[in-house]
Amino acid sequence: MPLADRFLDIRRDPHSDEVLARGGDPEAHSILQRTGFVSVVRVHETYHRAPTGLAEDEESRLATGAVARLRSAGYHVDCDTAFDTQARPPRYLPLGATVAHLAERIRAATTTQEVADALTELTAAHNGILTALGEVLAATAEFHDDLGEATDPHIARRLRYLADERLRSIRTDLCDTRNALADRHAPHPGRSTCTAERERSAVCACPPPPRTVPAPPPPVAAGLRR
């Protein structure tokens, strides 16, 4: 990770009077979003701003919370005096980290059954992750149904389309993949449990060492021939 990605700047812009956060890596951006900032994606930069419509003291409280959480995560934050704080709130693993652990399990898997078990957490019919995601989309669509602005019904229809078409397609494909792997009962030919110089439980995907060819015998000196 570039060292520059560990530095952020949170200040009130002197021209627009917006509270802006610049710098950081994707983890820092996630912290800003969880604090309440809104991401702004440009061609050469992604930065974050406070939501519109906040009073100045609310913006200061939001920025101060972001400074505290970023510093608690080990980031270096330069900020306006009004946003500075010595608070260091405890860190908790976000929900996405639990889902990302499935990718780690799949990368470490040596058999089709291990991958099928990991994919089951995504595809389970009653409480799998994709089913839960569909419920989130449906609930957000319902929220927009009577929200009151002209664009809200369109957003609700779009969310239902994503749940009914796009997400269903992903779930169907992953279910088929999971079921096919569960039926194969096979080890991965490129991954094996390495027993040399590593723990027996560690996965070694390295190619086998090259076969050593015996060295030819040294030539016989001419003076020793008869």
Side-chain angles (χ1 to χ4, degrees):
M1 177 191 303
L3 182 61
D5 288 344
R6 304 300 298 179
F7 289 82
L8 293 99
D9 193 86
I10 301 181
R11 301 187 184 278
R12 187 177 295 278
D13 187 86
H15 305 291
S16 66
D17 204 38
E18 291 181 294
V19 176
L20 303 179
R22 285 190 160 91
D25 57 9
E27 181 185 357
H29 298 170
S30 295
I31 292 173
L32 288 167
Q33 290 165 358
R34 286 187 168 90
T35 308
F37 277 79
V38 177
S39 60
V40 180
V41 180
R42 302 298 189 209
V43 176
H44 300 294
E45 179 188 23
T46 296
Y47 65 92
H48 293 75
R49 61 168 175 80
T52 59
L54 295 183
E56 185 172 334
D57 61 334
E58 292 177 311
E59 291 179 332
S60 295
R61 189 161 47 249
L62 181 146
T64 302
V67 170
R69 292 182 66 173
L70 286 165
R71 287 176 176 170
S72 180
Y75 290 92
H76 303 274
V77 185
D78 288 330
C79 62
D80 289 346
T81 304
F83 308 150
D84 204 4
T85 177
Q86 297 301 316
R88 297 293 182 272
R91 298 183 63 196
Y92 301 99
L93 281 178
L95 183 60
T98 305
V99 180
H101 180 64
L102 295 176
E104 297 176 13
R105 286 173 55 183
I106 293 172
R107 291 190 181 101
T110 59
T111 67
T112 57
Q113 187 58 50
E114 290 172 339
V115 178
D117 289 344
L119 291 179
T120 300
E121 296 301 325
L122 284 170
T123 61
H126 173 61
N127 54 6
I129 293 168
L130 293 178
T131 298
L133 178 57
E135 293 175 1
V136 171
L137 290 172
T140 309
E142 292 171 7
F143 182 81
H144 278 83
D145 280 336
D146 302 310
L147 195 53
E149 292 192 0
T151 58
D152 293 332
H154 169 75
I155 294 173
R157 288 194 298 271
R158 176 65 180 173
L159 290 170
R160 290 190 173 95
Y161 165 76
L162 292 175
D164 295 340
E165 301 297 334
R166 298 293 182 86
L167 186 60
R168 179 182 297 176
S169 175
I170 293 172
R171 183 166 51 235
T172 299
D173 286 354
L174 275 179
C175 282
D176 290 345
T177 301
R178 180 261 174 198
N179 293 340
L181 289 172
D183 286 337
R184 288 178 68 170
H185 309 289
H188 191 291
R191 299 182 182 184
S192 62
T193 303
C194 182
T195 58
E197 300 181 0
R198 300 180 67 178
E199 294 182 8
R200 295 181 65 88
S201 61
V203 174
C204 179
C206 304
R211 194 175 71 178
T212 303
V213 179
V220 179
L224 296 179
R225 293 181 179 176
R226 294 184 180 273

